[in-house]
Amino acid sequence: MILPIYLYGADVLRNENKDADLNDKEAILKLIEDMKETLKVADGCGLAAPQVGVNLNVVIVDGRELTETYDYLHDFFRVMINPVVLEESEETCEYSEGCLSVPGVYAEVRRPAKIKVEYYNENFEKVVEEFDRFGCRMVQHELSHLEGNLFVDNISPIRRKMIARKLQAISKGSVQTRYKSKR
């Protein structure tokens, strides 16, 4: 089922999230399937459960459509249940980010260049994986949602001031999306 994506200003994006109950596999797999369908229709590269109104620690990241720019992402698709960042590099890098919950807004965000994450995949197997380059960026962006943070929380004050009107319009519902959305 295609779910609405909650937009900037919606409380669900800032609420505390809890770990998914690994004993309730059927519910988790249904959520993941719905998130996959929603992401495909929205034409994004990642989605966190809070973005579809569910305050659970579940994300999906899909870089396969970005291979024209980042050829190493040709098979980059991850489902992450209850992810935990184990390590972050001191080295950082900056990329322009956007978000389905903040449509039409893009900004440079500085994040660690490499991270190590422990999570359960959609087969409920524990995985420990290191990420770098743009795959790392996508994973960090989605994991931030699980902490109630949006990429616009991590931009410079001057840039934030420059986009304040856009953010206000989004939070008031004065924005159109090409996908099903909700305020």
Side-chain angles (χ1 to χ4, degrees), residues 120-137:
Y120 290 90
N121 64 22
E122 63 189 310
N123 297 317
F124 299 92
E125 301 161 330
K126 188 180 273 191
V127 176
V128 174
E129 187 172 6
E130 292 185 19
F131 297 97
D132 63 4
R133 301 187 286 178
F134 201 73
C136 181
R137 173 59 48 139

Side-chain angles (χ1 to χ4, degrees), residues 36-91:
K36 286 179 182 179
E37 286 182 47
T38 302
L39 184 62
K40 184 174 183 171
V41 167
D43 196 28
C45 62
L47 196 60
Q51 291 181 273
V52 294
V54 180
N55 287 119
L56 290 178
N57 292 324
V58 177
V59 302
I60 57 174
V61 184
D62 188 353
R64 298 173 296 186
E65 297 294 320
L66 302 173
T67 56
E68 271 189 34
T69 307
Y70 307 105
D71 63 341
Y72 53 86
L73 296 176
H74 63 49
D75 63 351
F76 193 94
F77 181 84
R78 303 291 187 281
V79 170
M80 303 175 127
I81 305 166
N82 301 339
V84 176
V85 176
L86 301 175
E87 295 175 19
E88 294 180 338
S89 68
E90 287 186 28
E91 177 190 358

Side-chain angles (χ1 to χ4, degrees), residues 87-150:
E87 295 175 19
E88 294 180 338
S89 68
E90 287 186 28
E91 177 190 358
T92 61
C93 59
E94 199 169 72
Y95 282 101
S96 180
E97 294 187 23
C99 181
L100 294 171
S101 292
V102 192
V105 175
Y106 301 89
E108 295 289 320
V109 178
R110 182 166 294 285
R111 297 188 190 265
K114 296 178 184 179
I115 60 171
K116 182 190 279 189
V117 182
E118 177 182 274
Y119 63 93
Y120 290 90
N121 64 22
E122 63 189 310
N123 297 317
F124 299 92
E125 301 161 330
K126 188 180 273 191
V127 176
V128 174
E129 187 172 6
E130 292 185 19
F131 297 97
D132 63 4
R133 301 187 286 178
F134 201 73
C136 181
R137 173 59 48 139
M138 292 187 303
V139 169
Q140 288 180 85
H141 177 103
E142 297 311 323
L143 296 184
S144 288
H145 281 291
L146 302 182
E147 297 170 358
N149 294 320
L150 301 172

